C-alpha cells in the first residue's frame, strides 16, 4: 500500500503524513484474530475490488491481500449525523477497520480501513481531527471544504487536512477506497 500511495500522492501534506504513518507502522501493534462479519452491501465487493480491473501491479497486490483478509473484517454502518447523505445511504454503505481500534492490528496512532459505497450513494459530510489520505480502488468522486468534486480515478488519492469537512460519492459503479488516518496517538472516527 505504501508503494501504491507513494506513486499517486502528489501533495506535500499527504506525503508528509504518509511518511509519518508508515514509519510508525514499522512497530507492529497488537495483532488480533477476529471472526469477520459482512453486511448486505458487501455484495458489491467483487465488482469494487476486482484485480482484473487493475492495471498497476501494486494495486493488484493490494486487492489480492485485501480479499485474503476480508473474511476477518467486521463491516459496520457509520453512526452519527448523516448531513448531506443520499437516500439509501444507510444500507448502501459499509466501513471496516483493518489497522486501528477494533481492527486486525489494534493501535491508536494510525488507522487504516476501507469504505464501500453501493452505486449512486453519497456519503455524509463529516470531519475528524486526524489527517486522512484515501487510496481509491474504483471510480467515484471526492470533495472537501477546499476542493470541489474530483474523480481521482483507480489508484488515485485524495487528501483531507485535519478537521476539514469532506465526503465522497459513487456513480454508476460501486466505490471502494482505503483510508489512512494519522491519529498522532489519539482515538478516531471515520
Ligand atoms: Fe473521513
Amino acid at each position: 500500500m505504501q508503494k501504491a500511495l507513494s506513486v499517486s500522492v502528489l501533495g506535500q501534506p499527504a506525503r508528509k503524513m504518509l511518511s509519518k504513518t508508515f514509519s510508525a507502522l514499522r512497530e507492529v501493534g497488537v495483532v488480533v484474530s477476529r471472526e469477520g462479519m459482512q453486511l448486505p452491501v458487501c455484495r458489491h465487493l467483487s465488482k469494487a475490488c476486482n484485480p482484473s480491473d487493475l492495471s498497476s501491479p501494486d494495486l493488484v497486490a493490494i486487492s489480492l491481500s485485501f480479499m485474503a483478509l476480508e473474511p476477518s473484517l467486521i463491516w459496520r454502518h457509520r453512526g452519527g449525523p448523516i448531513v448531506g447523505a443520499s437516500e439509501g445511504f444507510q444500507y448502501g454503505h459499509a466501513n471496516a477497520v483493518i489497522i486501528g481500534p477494533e481492527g486486525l492490528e489494534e493501535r491508536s496512532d494510525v488507522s487504516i480501513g476501507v469504505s464501500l459505497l453501493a452505486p449512486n450513494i453519497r456519503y455524509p459530510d463529516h470531519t475528524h481531527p486526524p489527517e486522512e489520505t484515501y487510496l481509491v480502488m474504483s471510480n467515484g468522486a471526492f470533495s472537501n471544504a477546499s476542493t470541489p468534486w474530483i474523480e481521482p480515478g483507480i489508484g488515485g488519492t485524495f487528501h483531507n487536512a485535519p478537521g476539514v469537512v469532506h465526503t465522497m460519492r459513487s456513480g454508476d459503479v460501486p466505490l471502494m477506497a482505503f483510508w489512512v488516518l494519522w491519529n498522532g496517538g489519539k482515538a478516531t472516527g471515520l
Side-chain angles (χ1 to χ4, degrees):
M1 180 176 274
Q2 182 175 15
K3 212 167 152 201
L5 282 161
S6 67
V7 169
S8 53
V9 170
L10 298 173
Q12 190 59 27
R15 280 189 189 282
K16 225 169 153 183
M17 171 209 145
L18 291 167
S19 162
K20 284 186 278 190
T21 299
F22 285 103
S23 147
L25 285 174
R26 283 190 209 119
E27 195 170 316
V28 178
V30 179
V31 176
V32 180
S33 147
R34 297 192 190 279
E35 192 174 331
M37 192 185 72
Q38 284 201 336
L39 291 170
V41 70
C42 294
R43 68 188 181 279
H44 294 290
L45 271 177
S46 55
K47 169 94 177 156
C49 186
N50 185 347
S52 58
D53 287 345
L54 306 170
S55 51
S56 142
D58 292 333
L59 290 178
V60 171
I62 288 171
S63 90
L64 292 174
S65 303
F66 170 71
M67 293 315 268
L69 62 78
E70 191 280 329
S72 303
L73 296 181
I74 298 172
W75 291 88
R76 294 185 169 93
H77 292 311
R78 175 185 168 80
I82 54 167
V83 177
S86 62
E87 195 180 331
F89 164 71
Q90 186 61 22
Y91 297 105
H93 86 286
N95 297 307
V97 178
I98 301 169
I99 295 175
E102 300 186 64
L104 301 178
E105 180 187 332
E106 291 247 23
R107 57 191 304 147
S108 61
D109 55 343
V110 171
S111 294
I112 295 181
V114 59
S115 292
L116 175 67
L117 302 185
N120 302 306
I121 294 292
R122 186 196 187 280
Y123 205 81
D125 294 332
H126 66 286
T127 181
H128 39 67
E131 191 173 357
E132 178 176 47
T133 299
Y134 286 97
L135 174 63
V136 183
M137 298 299 286
S138 56
N139 286 315
F142 293 72
S143 76
N144 66 30
S146 52
T147 312
W149 289 102
I150 62 161
E151 293 193 16
I154 295 172
T157 59
F158 189 76
H159 175 258
N160 293 309
V164 73
V165 175
H166 57 281
T167 185
M168 58 189 159
R169 70 180 179 211
S170 55
D172 291 340
V173 294
L175 168 60
M176 189 182 115
F178 293 107
W179 36 265
V180 179
L181 292 166
W182 172 243
N183 305 336
K186 297 176 190 147
T188 182
L190 302 178

